[in-house]
Amino acid sequence: MSDSAVDAKPEVKQASKEAKESENVAEKYSALTVSRTSDLSLQGELSAVPTHKPVKKQIQFVEDKQEFSRFPTKAGRRSLSRSISQSSTDSYSSAASYTDSSDDETSPRDKTQVNSKGSTDFCVKNIKRAEFGRREIEIAEQDMSALISLRKRAQGEKPLAGAKIVGCTHITAQTAVLIETLVALGAQCRWTACNIYSTQNEVAAALTETGVAVFAWKGESEDDFWWCIDRCISTEGWQPNMILDDGGDLTHWVYKKYPNVFKQIRGIVEESVTGVHRLYQLSKAGKLCVPAMNVNDSVTKQKFDNLYCCRESILDGLKRTTDVMFGGKQVVVCGYGEVGKGCCAALKALGAIVYVTEIDPICALQACMDGFRVLKLNEVIRQVDVTITCTGNKNVVTREQLDRMKNGSIVCNMGHSNTEIDVASLRTPELTWERVRSQVDHVIWPDGKRVILLAEGRLLNLSCSTVPTFVLSITATTQALALIELYNAPEGRYKQDVYLLPKKMDEYVASLHLATFDAHLTELSDEQAKYLGLNKNGPFKPNYYRY
Amino acid sequence: MVQKNSRGNSDFCIKNIKQAEFGRREIEIAEQGKRPRELFTCRHTFEMPALMVLRKRAEGEKPLTGAKVVCCTHITAQTAVLIETLCLLGAQCRWTACNIYTTQNAVAAALAERGISVFAWKGESEDDFWWCIDRCVSLEAWQPNMILDDGGDLTHWIYKKYPTVFQKIRGIVEESVTGVHRLYQLSKAGKLCVPAMNVNDSVTKQKFDNLYCCRESILDGLKRTTDVMFGGKLVVVCGYGEVGKGCCTALKALGAIVYITEVDPICALQACMDGFRLVKLSEIMRQVDVIITCTGNKNVVGREYLDRVKNGCIVCNMGHSNTEIDVASLRTPELAWEHVRSQVDHIIWPDGRRIVLLAEGRLLNLSCSTVPTFVLSITATTQALALIELYNAPEGRYKQDVYLLPKKMDEYVASLHLPTFDAHLTELTDDQAKYLGLNKHGPFKPNYYR
């Protein structure tokens, strides 16, 4: 379970580029790329932190599965998921358990394993690691008090009794807490991984020990990936009636290959931007015959995943990679959405001088009123020490601008996809690339000027920082509640459309997390509730309220 | 009293037409900024830049030609800029005041001088109030086709007394929380037969009226009334909505230690993440130096709390209505009231303990502070654009319901105000617009975006 074990074991079946990763023995921050389909660099080297959803094997994948690329995402970035929440963090301290034990190179598909209850209905790397995984899960439970309290509350009534959930998310200690919560609430679950690299094998083993049918291991091949999904669905005698998805692959598979199963689904809960996008497309085309809930756009999740998480991780990511001093630095943040707001607040607090670029006049006005100059990138590019992109757009920072930056400028991206900085334009013969540290490259111009590029333009906080378990807890709780809501909704309450989480549930998620802050919520008196025209138990705000 | 303006017209009713010149200067200052000297420096900083821009743009086309607008808002130098803008855009306006105390007489005079029928003066009686509204509406030869309202009184009057006129109205633009609430009630009862636009809940106006304005005025209001030093003070802010967020930011920035009370768990979580302790009022009542209410609720601070606060505690309200602090409960024989300064009362307990009550629990920033003209500009621009939108909408575009301002217009209001900050907005390239699936000119965000 030490990091060296990871490297010692040549995870050869992963992309070949990883060979060079072995030099980064102590590296704790993974660099799983979330790259465009055309981007060859799969760097999945991994150590402690299972990150995030990168694209599976890249090119090959896209070409083989044309049907998916036809599934329109705005720019073909179907595999990009926004669920930063899945990349755990504190787990680096709770130790790297990502070693698949020892020397077992055979694919789990070829092994028959039996869990202690005698079942063979699962496929994980090594069932014997279950105990270790159990300890990991227990540690994660400490920080996920909301899910634990959800379990307690539902001890009497089991709101998911009879639910047969097929799930496709990352399999980590934190998501295991979610899965076990669902089971405690009465559901039967079959689970697979939404990412071929992020599974924590020991955790998968531990889940299997308790009877959840898990089909996932770290370092699956693409083929394995779809095989696992299929095994979840196609078992005799068991038909799923709920889907919990992250990225939309599972939903897609069921929709395409098992249309009659799809029709019997009571509800889909989708967590990522990409998956949600695909659902909206389906719905627009009139083909969505099942109600779906978009938990990506619930208030609490949005704020935590974007604003608060990035506020925490921008400084962390920059420090860990470059040790830069923030005081007095000139920084330009491109984009003043949630992520931009978080980054600007943190940088300003540490004494940086922050400029903002924006296309949206409302956000621009907010930036002005928060005390930031709103300028065009070209106006400041020569002066700034750090450039941070978080627009969701592409080619925000172009070669032209990189040519004009000053020597020693740091360039990084906090946005979801890696299209914001035009990194490809830097791979030209006259520029030299020097890899100085994991995730840090110096790009050197002929005249000696250097630009420091972080994480090759990929999402900084996943590659170079950590995501607090608290943030993951918010997401997991939201998913659990969405499942409960969809499963228990009376007939006809939800039509075949994509819904946002009802505000009351959103408020409930928030209230479950207040205990961590020792926050004492005030209650409305009956009279006050009447005066305001509200229910004492919420919802407290109209739907168009913007926190 | 019959007065005539310089053109011989007498279709108005204000305090004193002779003040028109003075009012005109006030209006000019509102248009151009408080210190005319700045006109001579390199940059003209218009305080109401957006309306001036609207006027210029509309020099050619007049989007409100044929519009007959009857309006009921405050009559101040700032709203006068709005009124005159509407006229320049082609509308005919008849105006009255939505509040019996807020009319600036000189400004009303200046408007009357320019030929606008204004019926308002400072210090009306309630009777006068309704009389003025009636004079606006009941002119024989002139039937309004648009309503611009603040508070819903005008709308209510027309709906009740002139139902035939009401049915011919093309659109209502309502600005206040109360008025919007009344419109929603009408709509729920199926009685709203006219499309209405709720400008109160447009993004820009909400942020400016609430978040930014209160952030500016909480410190100002407290300083002007009490000269309190903020650093190190223990302050409790009840409510973490827009107003609460603004107040907390400002107080924290000046070194106050801020606690928050909340009923809504989402807002509570935001407060926690912004670094504020979330407590119940009873837990800190005895320690705090300042209490600020901004919940929109009633009886947030009742007598039993006020009995326990420490000597010298300041109590004030930043919320819309004056029900948040239970002031009536302090008017009991054993408590002595001492009026020390305008808007400042000391209330003294038998044991000598005092609290400092500001503005008798009414909205602090209106009574004891100022509202930046910039903020009023945002509201006025929003109202103007909403009127233009409703008036020019094709038949059937808007049904008999209450609408929010379309996001694209909201963005337009914001963009008109950016030059004040010398802000340089970036434009999407065609390629980027396509990638994002957006129109280069907006709207840039989905409706549910916060």
Side-chain angles (χ1 to χ4, degrees):
Chain A
M1 128 177 27
S2 64
D3 290 345
S4 53
V6 177
D7 301 293
K9 149 135 241 194
E11 306 255 18
V12 173
K13 53 184 183 249
Q14 298 176 26
S16 51
K17 305 232 171 137
E18 264 131 296
K20 69 180 172 180
E21 301 304 338
S22 55
E23 62 205 46
N24 302 312
V25 174
E27 192 46 47
K28 297 198 194 294
Y29 315 104
S30 61
L32 282 191
T33 46
V34 180
S35 47
R36 298 291 308 280
T37 51
S38 53
D39 185 347
L40 279 183
S41 62
L42 169 64
Q43 280 193 334
E45 112 276 288
L46 263 311
S47 45
V49 185
T51 20
H52 203 345
K53 193 140 165 177
V55 174
K56 297 83 179 193
K57 273 178 173 178
Q58 267 27 328
I59 313 260
Q60 200 185 342
F61 183 58
V62 167
E63 279 155 21
D64 287 350
K65 306 285 176 195
Q66 280 307 312
E67 49 193 302
F68 304 145
S69 42
R70 256 197 284 120
F71 220 84
T73 46
K74 298 175 195 167
R77 46 189 221 256
R78 63 165 291 284
S79 42
L80 302 181
S81 148
R82 206 192 327 75
S83 53
I84 333 178
S85 46
Q86 294 306 325
S87 134
S88 147
T89 70
D90 300 344
S91 55
Y92 86 83
S93 51
S94 48
S97 44
Y98 319 86
T99 62
D100 296 308
S101 44
S102 34
D103 327 283
D104 202 334
E105 300 246 358
T106 58
S107 166
R109 275 163 85 167
D110 304 329
K111 291 195 289 192
T112 327
Q113 306 183 70
V114 184
N115 76 3
S116 57
K117 299 185 197 169
S119 163
T120 55
D121 185 19
F122 59 87
C123 187
V124 298
K125 187 76 184 177
N126 185 351
I127 189 78
K128 298 199 189 63
R129 305 284 296 172
E131 169 131 0
F132 189 65
R134 174 59 43 196
R135 288 209 295 276
E136 291 286 311
I137 295 175
E138 279 164 15
I139 291 172
E141 281 177 3
Q142 305 293 330
D143 287 318
M144 300 186 86
S145 49
L147 285 176
I148 306 299
S149 68
L150 202 58
R151 287 185 199 179
K152 287 212 179 69
R153 274 191 52 156
Q155 244 162 349
E157 31 142 349
K158 290 202 182 298
L160 289 175
K164 298 186 165 73
I165 305 176
V166 59
C168 179
T169 68
H170 297 283
I171 297 185
T172 62
Q174 288 80 13
T175 58
V177 178
L178 169 64
I179 296 167
E180 299 199 324
T181 304
L182 297 176
V183 171
L185 295 179
Q188 292 175 25
C189 299
R190 291 176 75 80
W191 223 266
T192 180
C194 68
N195 180 295
I196 58 181
Y197 292 116
S198 60
T199 303
Q200 293 177 355
N201 288 327
E202 293 74 16
V203 169
L207 284 170
T208 315
E209 259 311 301
T210 57
V212 179
V214 178
F215 298 83
W217 58 96
K218 184 180 167 109
E220 294 169 2
S221 72
E222 200 174 303
D223 220 26
D224 291 335
F225 177 78
W226 296 105
W227 179 86
C228 289
I229 290 187
D230 199 71
R231 281 297 310 273
C232 274
I233 303 167
S234 68
T235 189
E236 274 184 40
W238 193 93
Q239 255 207 19
N241 55 23
M242 298 289 296
I243 292 178
L244 176 60
D245 206 355
D246 181 349
D249 283 328
L250 173 65
T251 307
H252 186 79
W253 188 262
V254 176
Y255 169 74
K256 283 269 165 206
K257 306 258 166 181
Y258 300 90
N260 28 353
V261 172
F262 195 70
K263 292 202 183 72
Q264 315 267 17
I265 300 282
R266 260 204 231 186
I268 303 171
V269 173
E270 173 59 57
E271 177 201 339
S272 75
V273 168
T274 312
V276 160
H277 189 80
R278 289 164 100 174
L279 284 173
Y280 277 123
Q281 299 290 350
L282 256 189
S283 174
K284 239 163 75 167
K287 299 205 177 110
L288 183 68
C289 53
V290 171
M293 207 161 270
N294 162 10
V295 304
N296 184 56
D297 291 308
S298 73
V299 180
T300 342
K301 184 191 187 281
Q302 274 276 335
K303 293 286 183 196
F304 271 85
D305 250 11
N306 299 325
L307 179 69
Y308 298 130
C309 183
C310 293
R311 192 174 71 183
E312 306 267 331
S313 55
I314 179 64
L315 301 179
D316 189 34
L318 286 170
K319 266 287 198 221
R320 290 198 211 214
T321 46
T322 64
D323 299 306
V324 65
M325 178 177 84
F326 295 111
K329 287 290 185 302
Q330 295 194 56
V331 183
V332 60
V333 175
C334 302
Y336 202 67
E338 297 281 346
V339 174
K341 287 177 170 84
C343 293
C344 289
L347 289 160
K348 182 177 183 181
L350 261 65
I353 298 166
V354 183
Y355 303 101
V356 171
T357 75
E358 248 297 341
I359 57 162
D360 179 335
I362 295 181
C363 296
L365 203 56
Q366 289 182 305
C368 294
M369 287 300 290
D370 289 341
F372 301 107
R373 290 293 309 275
V374 173
L375 300 167
K376 290 196 207 239
L377 192 54
N378 286 331
E379 299 177 64
V380 286
I381 198 75
R382 288 187 195 280
Q383 317 163 30
V384 293
D385 304 294
V386 185
T387 306
I388 302 171
T389 56
C390 37
T391 64
N393 202 352
K394 74 184 222 190
N395 291 340
V396 177
V397 177
T398 60
R399 170 63 189 264
E400 223 177 26
Q401 281 145 347
L402 291 157
D403 280 339
R404 309 218 295 268
M405 283 183 191
K406 71 195 211 196
N407 183 30
S409 271
I410 300 168
V411 182
C412 62
N413 168 44
M414 285 290 279
H416 177 60
S417 67
N418 61 350
T419 52
E420 306 213 17
I421 303 168
D422 189 2
V423 178
S425 70
L426 294 172
R427 297 197 190 275
T428 50
E430 81 281 10
L431 301 182
T432 317
W433 281 62
E434 207 176 276
R435 162 57 64 98
V436 294
R437 202 188 263 191
S438 174
Q439 307 300 337
V440 183
D441 291 284
H442 282 197
V443 180
I444 310 161
W445 268 251
D447 64 353
K449 177 186 95 159
R450 294 173 179 250
V451 161
I452 305 173
L453 178 66
L454 302 182
E456 291 185 23
R458 294 184 307 271
L459 182 40
L460 186 76
N461 60 1
L462 286 196
S463 323
C464 312
S465 177
T466 52
V467 177
T469 304
F470 192 80
V471 172
L472 301 172
S473 172
I474 298 261
T475 306
T477 314
T478 312
Q479 287 169 303
L481 287 177
L483 278 168
I484 295 175
E485 171 76 7
L486 272 181
Y487 184 68
N488 289 305
E491 198 73 44
R493 164 79 184 80
Y494 290 104
K495 320 253 182 310
Q496 289 117 22
D497 204 348
V498 185
Y499 293 84
L500 284 177
L501 197 68
K503 190 173 283 296
K504 211 170 159 181
M505 312 228 80
D506 220 337
E507 290 174 351
Y508 185 53
V509 173
S511 66
L512 287 174
H513 289 87
L514 287 175
T516 314
F517 300 99
D518 192 24
H520 306 158
L521 206 62
T522 304
E523 253 187 48
L524 287 175
S525 68
D526 289 323
E527 204 200 334
Q528 292 177 323
K530 195 160 154 225
Y531 175 78
L532 292 171
L534 294 179
N535 188 314
K536 267 173 100 160
N537 301 316
F540 297 105
K541 303 289 190 291
N543 277 341
Y544 52 75
Y545 187 79
R546 296 173 202 85
Y547 300 82
Chain B
M1 174 170 49
V2 177
Q3 306 181 67
K4 280 200 204 274
N5 70 5
S6 56
R7 298 176 210 177
N9 188 346
S10 61
D11 185 19
F12 57 87
C13 189
I14 57 167
K15 188 79 185 175
N16 186 352
I17 188 75
K18 297 198 184 64
Q19 294 186 305
E21 173 97 22
F22 186 64
R24 176 58 42 196
R25 283 208 300 275
E26 290 287 311
I27 295 175
E28 277 163 15
I29 290 173
E31 286 172 3
Q32 290 162 9
K34 299 240 180 277
R35 289 180 298 268
R37 257 179 223 282
E38 285 185 351
L39 293 178
F40 300 115
T41 61
C42 40
R43 214 155 36 115
H44 282 213
T45 48
F46 288 127
E47 284 294 304
M48 303 198 81
L51 289 178
M52 308 311 284
V53 168
L54 267 185
R55 289 186 192 183
K56 280 218 179 59
R57 276 190 52 158
E59 250 156 37
E61 34 140 348
K62 290 194 187 301
L64 289 176
T65 311
K68 299 185 164 78
V69 195
V70 60
C71 320
C72 180
T73 69
H74 298 286
I75 297 187
T76 62
Q78 289 83 8
T79 58
V81 179
L82 170 63
I83 296 168
E84 299 200 322
T85 305
L86 294 179
C87 293
L88 283 170
L89 295 178
Q92 292 175 25
C93 302
R94 290 175 77 78
W95 221 275
T96 181
C98 68
N99 180 296
I100 59 182
Y101 291 119
T102 57
T103 304
Q104 293 176 352
N105 287 328
V107 169
L111 287 169
E113 181 59 30
R114 282 279 171 91
I116 298 172
S117 301
V118 180
F119 300 84
W121 57 94
K122 187 178 171 109
E124 295 169 0
S125 72
E126 193 164 321
D127 231 18
D128 293 332
F129 177 75
W130 296 106
W131 180 86
C132 287
I133 289 186
D134 199 70
R135 283 297 310 274
C136 274
V137 183
S138 67
L139 192 65
E140 273 179 36
W142 191 92
Q143 257 205 20
N145 53 25
M146 298 290 295
I147 295 176
L148 175 61
D149 205 354
D150 181 351
D153 283 328
L154 173 64
T155 308
H156 184 79
W157 187 261
I158 298 180
Y159 170 73
K160 283 270 169 208
K161 307 260 167 175
Y162 301 91
T164 35
V165 173
F166 194 69
Q167 268 149 24
K168 301 231 175 68
I169 299 283
R170 256 202 235 187
I172 303 171
V173 174
E174 173 60 55
E175 176 200 339
S176 76
V177 169
T178 315
V180 161
H181 188 79
R182 288 163 104 173
L183 283 173
Y184 278 122
Q185 299 288 357
L186 260 189
S187 176
K188 240 164 76 171
K191 300 201 177 123
L192 182 66
C193 53
V194 172
M197 208 162 271
N198 163 10
V199 304
N200 183 57
D201 292 307
S202 74
V203 181
T204 341
K205 185 199 187 273
Q206 273 280 330
K207 293 287 183 199
F208 272 86
D209 247 13
N210 299 325
L211 181 68
Y212 299 129
C213 182
C214 294
R215 194 174 72 182
E216 305 269 331
S217 55
I218 179 62
L219 302 178
D220 188 37
L222 286 170
K223 267 287 198 219
R224 288 201 211 209
T225 46
T226 64
D227 300 305
V228 65
M229 178 178 82
F230 296 110
K233 287 292 187 301
L234 290 167
V235 183
V236 60
V237 177
C238 301
Y240 200 66
E242 298 280 347
V243 175
K245 286 175 171 83
C247 293
C248 291
T249 311
L251 290 161
K252 185 179 184 178
L254 260 66
I257 300 165
V258 182
Y259 299 95
I260 304 210
T261 75
E262 247 298 338
V263 303
D264 180 335
I266 296 181
C267 297
L269 204 56
Q270 287 183 305
C272 293
M273 287 301 289
D274 288 341
F276 300 106
R277 285 297 308 277
L278 209 296
V279 296
K280 291 201 207 235
L281 198 50
S282 50
E283 297 172 48
I284 29 111
M285 283 309 281
R286 294 187 193 278
Q287 310 166 36
V288 293
D289 304 294
V290 186
I291 302 172
I292 302 170
T293 56
C294 38
T295 64
N297 202 352
K298 73 186 230 190
N299 291 340
V300 178
V301 179
R303 173 66 187 262
E304 71 276 17
Y305 290 118
L306 294 166
D307 280 339
R308 304 209 309 262
V309 297
K310 72 194 211 196
N311 182 31
C313 186
I314 299 168
V315 182
C316 64
N317 168 45
M318 285 291 278
H320 175 65
S321 66
N322 61 351
T323 54
E324 305 213 20
I325 303 168
D326 188 2
V327 179
S329 70
L330 295 171
R331 299 196 188 275
T332 50
E334 80 282 9
L335 301 181
W337 279 62
E338 209 178 275
H339 190 72
V340 296
R341 203 186 264 190
S342 173
Q343 308 295 348
V344 184
D345 292 283
H346 283 197
I347 294 150
I348 311 160
W349 267 250
D351 64 355
R353 188 173 61 93
R354 303 178 170 242
I355 67 167
V356 182
L357 179 66
L358 302 184
E360 291 183 27
R362 293 188 306 273
L363 183 39
L364 186 75
N365 59 0
L366 283 196
S367 324
C368 313
S369 178
T370 51
V371 177
T373 305
F374 192 80
V375 170
L376 301 172
S377 171
I378 297 266
T379 307
T381 313
T382 312
Q383 288 170 302
L385 286 177
L387 278 169
I388 294 174
E389 172 75 9
L390 273 181
Y391 184 68
N392 290 307
E395 196 75 43
R397 164 77 185 81
Y398 290 104
K399 319 252 181 308
Q400 287 119 22
D401 204 349
V402 187
Y403 292 84
L404 284 176
L405 196 68
K407 190 171 282 296
K408 207 166 160 191
M409 313 227 77
D410 221 337
E411 290 174 352
Y412 184 53
V413 173
S415 67
L416 287 176
H417 289 86
L418 287 175
T420 312
F421 301 100
D422 194 23
H424 305 160
L425 206 62
T426 305
E427 252 188 51
L428 287 175
T429 63
D430 289 324
D431 196 34
Q432 292 176 325
K434 191 156 157 233
Y435 175 78
L436 293 170
L438 294 178
N439 186 313
K440 266 172 99 163
H441 303 290
F444 297 106
K445 303 287 189 295
N447 280 339
Y448 54 75
Y449 185 80
R450 294 174 200 82

